Amino acid sequence: MKIYLDTDELYQDELYEHKLAIILGRGKRLKRMLKEFPTEYDFKKASLSHIAKVVGIENRGSKTLNQLNQLDKTYQRLTKPKFSPKLSKNSKAEVIMCIDTEYLWSELDSIQYAIKSNKGWELGIIFTNQKLAPSVSIKEGIDILLDIIDQFKPDIFVGHNFNCDITVLEKAYGEKIKALHYYDDTMKMVRRSNIANVIGGASLDNIMEEVFNSETIGLFNAYNDLDLFIKYGLKDAIYPIYARDYFITGELPLIKQSLEINKVIKAEVLDLIDFNSISLKGDD
């Protein structure tokens, strides 16, 4: 995992920029600061009133200005990991299910899921857009998902920005899906644990690349290649489960070399691909 510390083989200006970004974000305020104070030495010799003017802060008692005034202390505090079972709504859950949706070409293009329990893993993908692959209707696809939920009875759901996936599914289905509303969100967990500050972002790609050293697949590339689409979608359903475990325990989980794909809807999709498992280490 890439961590921005003084002992890293990073140029000092990269570390300095990262310190500022943790406080200011990576928008216009950061750009103004770096233009006015291109090095940490320039920043630290500047007066607080000068810094406030550049950032655009009038209230000298503001939290942001106080954090900038104590840049190193703020950086150390905000990059200290805070792993805890309290980050989860049910840290002792035994059956955990992640659901991910894709909806670039239609109201709902596909649903992919991963389930982890003491019996192992279950993976599946349900296509709901005929332009991508042989598919079922959106309503039928969601009904299949609900049957799978009823079969495995997960103790908790997990997702990354999962409220968005819930909204997509409920809008497409035309009614609220109550079961989905008990979940852990790894986007919130990565922020509350301070790991977002450590790895330089809160996206799932950040987590996969920096925490798990896993290669990611671009969304637009995936939509142009069925093989990539399936691998992209299923990895987005697998890694939030691993990430949740990491944020709760502080220990990197043992990543499986590969996981078998247990269900593909429609089954005709299997005739269009030449694999039946997802590789999580090395090349697929």
Side-chain angles (χ1 to χ4, degrees):
M1 176 170 59
K2 181 172 71 177
I3 300 178
Y4 289 87
L5 296 174
D6 293 322
T7 54
D8 280 353
E9 294 179 0
L10 289 174
Y11 294 108
Q12 287 303 307
D13 57 349
E14 291 183 40
L15 178 58
Y16 163 57
E17 179 179 336
H18 186 62
K19 289 179 182 180
L20 292 177
I22 285 174
I23 300 170
L24 301 173
R26 292 193 173 271
K28 293 181 180 179
R29 295 195 301 175
L30 176 63
K31 292 179 181 178
R32 291 201 302 268
M33 286 289 285
L34 291 173
K35 183 177 180 180
E36 187 72 16
F37 313 116
T39 69
E40 190 165 352
Y41 175 78
D42 296 325
F43 171 82
K44 289 186 174 178
K45 72 178 183 180
S47 67
L48 195 58
S49 60
H50 187 185
I51 293 171
K53 183 178 180 180
V54 173
V55 180
I57 295 175
E58 296 182 0
N59 177 14
R60 297 301 173 83
S62 78
K63 178 181 177 181
T64 298
L65 196 57
N66 183 57
Q67 288 179 330
L68 289 170
N69 191 39
Q70 302 180 65
L71 184 64
D72 291 327
K73 287 184 178 179
T74 300
Y75 174 73
Q76 293 298 330
R77 177 171 59 83
L78 294 181
T79 55
K80 182 179 181 180
K82 294 182 178 179
F83 304 112
S84 172
K86 294 180 180 179
L87 293 173
S88 170
K89 291 180 181 177
N90 184 359
S91 62
K92 296 183 179 180
E94 294 183 358
V95 183
I96 303 148
M97 181 174 187
C98 180
I99 298 170
D100 181 64
T101 59
E102 303 302 340
Y103 45 90
L104 183 63
W105 286 358
S106 72
E107 189 176 23
L108 182 64
D109 295 329
S110 71
I111 307 165
Q112 38 279 341
Y113 65 87
I115 303 168
K116 182 176 181 290
S117 70
N118 55 13
K119 295 180 181 179
W121 287 81
E122 290 280 336
L123 304 183
I125 184 166
I126 304 165
F127 284 96
T128 54
N129 184 343
Q130 198 70 29
K131 292 179 181 179
L132 276 169
S135 302
V136 294
S137 70
I138 289 176
K139 185 179 185 306
E140 185 179 354
I142 297 175
D143 281 335
I144 291 170
L145 175 68
L146 295 178
D147 286 342
I148 293 167
I149 291 171
D150 187 59
Q151 176 186 351
F152 287 93
K153 296 179 173 52
D155 298 318
I156 196 165
F157 292 92
V158 61
H160 196 80
N161 194 21
F162 192 48
N163 186 59
C164 180
D165 294 294
I166 293 174
T167 300
V168 168
L169 289 167
E170 291 183 339
K171 183 179 179 181
Y173 200 52
E175 62 182 83
K176 186 173 183 178
I177 306 173
K178 293 181 180 179
L180 300 181
H181 288 263
Y182 184 62
Y183 64 91
D184 285 339
D185 195 319
T186 49
M187 178 174 279
K188 293 180 180 178
M189 296 175 88
V190 71
R191 288 173 174 160
R192 291 172 180 170
S193 65
N194 281 345
I195 297 301
N197 294 333
V198 177
I199 64 177
S203 72
L204 185 57
D205 280 357
N206 282 127
I207 295 171
M208 289 170 63
E209 292 172 357
E210 307 298 346
V211 176
F212 296 108
N213 195 30
S214 172
E215 291 186 359
T216 55
I217 303 168
L219 176 62
F220 293 100
N221 289 334
Y223 263 83
N224 291 313
D225 185 310
L226 182 59
D227 287 12
L228 287 181
F229 186 92
I230 294 171
K231 293 170 185 177
Y232 172 91
L234 288 176
K235 284 185 176 181
D236 277 5
I238 293 165
Y239 275 100
I241 294 177
Y242 279 130
R244 173 186 176 274
D245 187 33
Y246 174 59
F247 298 137
I248 290 172
T249 66
E251 298 180 2
L252 285 172
L254 182 63
I255 306 297
K256 291 281 190 179
Q257 184 74 30
S258 65
L259 291 173
E260 181 183 353
I261 303 171
N262 304 97
K263 186 184 291 289
V264 176
I265 303 294
K266 286 186 168 182
E268 291 95 311
V269 176
L270 293 171
D271 296 328
L272 304 176
I273 59 176
D274 60 1
F275 59 93
N276 61 4
S277 65
I278 295 296
S279 173
L280 301 180
K281 294 182 179 181
D283 296 331
D284 286 332

